[in-house]
Amino acid sequence: MITGALQVAAGGQPLLLTRRGQQRRRVFRPPQAVASDAAAAATANEEGGKVALGGSGVAVTKLGVGAWSWGDTTYWNEFQWDDRKLKAAKGAFDASIDCGITFFDTAEVYGAGISGAINSESLLGRFIKERQQKEQVDVAIATKFAALPWRFGRGSVICALKASLDRLGVSSVELYQLHWPGIWGNEDYLDGLGDAVEQGLVKAVGVSNYSEKRLRDAYQRLKKRGIPLASNQVNYSLIYRNPEENGVKAACDELGVTLIAYSPIAQGALTGKYTPENPPKGPRGRIYTPEFLTKLQPLINRIKEIGESYGRTSTQVVLNWLVCQGNVVPIPGAKNAEQAREFAGALGWSLTADEVEELRSMARQVKPVIGFPVEKL
């Protein structure tokens, strides 16, 4: 997710499911706010539980966890970081693992030591080490290179990557991404990604916030070296569908590049937690205003109704909506164990094609939130 970076430099009867297009019986079941760890783990691991990142051969869980908020004091956590928030983040990590979610996305600029904060990479590395002392866990790490204006040449990518590996306490990561397009160009950065693969520092490489043209250029440049472009991480949710409209989603599908969706629950706006009378605090309150939330309520109400019919929460419905698009791995941010367990419940079931389109149609009636300026570069 790039905002933080820019601020450093948005019933009870069984349910019968059948293949899409066939009839199925659906009856009302009261939603379960949070499943037990065991139940959530079974849900997350259903049908294998993992997907390949593009053509890289690296497999990750069908849903990941974003660690942008871990240690952050520029956008999240009410601009402060303390032991309580640290324990909550550790709880989110452990609950994710318990539920079978083992894909974590971070970045060198998350946290970044501002105002006494601790870098998200350092926290993730610490959490992994502490868990490994108890049991062997297979964690897939994704982190990112910040294309800052003063960074030049392919060597800057390797230098930054080695610093990230040091903070994470690992010798390599599963996925290394260019966080946003470079102001002075991207060729050297892409060459740096290729070098990282050849040096064994990363298993797969990707980009983030790349337009269709930039995506295609990156794909071709890496292809010449026999290296697949694994992913493009972009802002994508039910109420922010730019990837569908600007050609990015179609290009990802065509090229076999996995679309990783950040802000998949619109920073909480789609969970039903916020209302016109109770908007989010901090910077999010300037995006999801009472006026916007008023217009959003019909969609929120319908999401809740659909969720109740499946015994799922609104959050689980909107995450499942993204999974239903195909070739999409959502990475919602988890601040605590409760959120992490809820996210796992988005897997192992599916909305119908009619429900997917109904929600998209209703979402069209809501004026989309403004995207991040980097998308226009």
Side-chain angles (χ1 to χ4, degrees), residues 44-371:
N45 287 314
E46 188 170 320
E47 300 174 353
K50 290 190 176 183
V51 293
L53 285 177
S56 69
V58 173
V60 300
T61 46
K62 297 177 182 179
L63 182 145
V65 170
W68 175 26
S69 69
W70 297 359
D72 181 74
T73 58
T74 65
Y75 192 86
W76 301 100
N77 302 309
E78 298 178 351
F79 305 103
Q80 59 183 343
W81 186 252
D82 53 32
D83 288 343
R84 181 179 60 83
K85 293 182 174 67
L86 173 61
K87 291 178 181 178
K90 177 62 162 56
F93 173 83
D94 284 330
S96 297
I97 299 295
D98 293 339
C99 293
I101 303 299
T102 58
F103 180 39
F104 296 88
D105 178 84
T106 183
E108 63 174 323
V109 296
Y110 295 166
I114 299 297
S115 302
I118 183 171
N119 187 278
S120 174
E121 290 178 326
S122 298
L123 287 175
L124 178 57
R126 181 193 303 180
F127 297 162
I128 293 172
K129 182 179 180 180
E130 292 174 353
R131 185 75 181 218
Q132 294 282 18
Q133 292 173 347
K134 299 178 181 179
E135 63 176 324
Q136 184 65 33
V137 292
D138 183 19
V139 175
I141 302 172
T143 192
K144 310 181 194 74
F145 167 83
L148 300 169
W150 53 86
R151 283 179 164 172
F152 299 97
R154 63 205 297 171
S156 64
V157 176
I158 299 299
C159 183
L161 172 56
K162 288 181 176 179
S164 287
L165 294 177
D166 185 60
R167 284 187 292 270
L168 287 160
V170 297
S171 59
S172 69
V173 291
E174 279 64 34
L175 178 65
Y176 195 50
Q177 307 151 95
L178 302 181
H179 205 154
W180 61 85
I183 295 176
W184 315 117
N186 297 286
E187 291 80 5
D188 285 346
Y189 294 152
L190 291 166
D191 290 341
L193 289 184
D195 294 343
V197 173
E198 292 176 354
Q199 292 179 30
L201 299 175
V202 302
K203 297 179 178 66
V205 291
V207 293
S208 182
N209 298 295
Y210 268 44
S211 65
E212 179 188 358
K213 182 181 185 306
R214 291 187 187 278
L215 173 68
R216 293 184 180 277
D217 289 346
Y219 176 89
Q220 291 299 334
R221 192 171 188 88
L222 288 168
K223 183 180 179 181
K224 291 178 180 179
R225 297 177 67 173
I227 298 172
L229 178 65
S231 60
N232 185 18
Q233 183 177 146
V234 295
N235 187 0
Y236 188 24
S237 73
L238 180 57
I239 58 172
Y240 191 82
R241 300 180 312 286
N242 263 23
E244 297 177 357
E245 301 158 0
N246 61 16
V248 165
K249 176 65 167 65
C252 284
D253 293 347
E254 173 194 337
L255 300 174
V257 175
T258 298
L259 191 156
I260 299 176
Y262 70 71
S263 293
I265 55 177
Q267 299 182 24
L270 287 171
T271 67
K273 175 181 179 180
Y274 301 111
T275 65
E277 297 75 30
N278 178 41
K281 299 178 181 179
R284 288 181 297 162
R286 296 194 292 269
I287 302 173
Y288 304 105
T289 63
E291 293 77 16
F292 180 86
L293 292 171
T294 296
K295 297 177 181 178
L296 192 62
Q297 285 310 294
L299 176 61
I300 294 297
N301 292 339
R302 183 57 183 143
I303 291 170
K304 182 179 179 181
E305 290 174 357
I306 292 175
E308 288 175 342
S309 71
Y310 284 100
R312 304 286 175 168
T313 68
S314 295
T315 298
Q316 292 164 347
V317 170
V318 296
L319 289 173
N320 189 270
W321 185 90
L322 279 171
V323 174
C324 285
Q325 306 312 307
N327 194 36
V328 175
V329 175
I331 51 167
K335 285 186 174 183
N336 54 55
E338 182 180 9
Q339 290 179 350
R341 285 190 286 264
E342 184 177 20
F343 296 158
L347 302 178
W349 62 285
S350 180
L351 295 167
T352 67
D354 287 345
E355 288 163 342
V356 168
E357 186 51 41
E358 178 190 2
L359 291 178
R360 178 183 278 108
S361 179
M362 291 189 69
R364 291 193 184 103
Q365 308 306 313
V366 181
K367 184 178 180 180
V369 295
I370 299 174

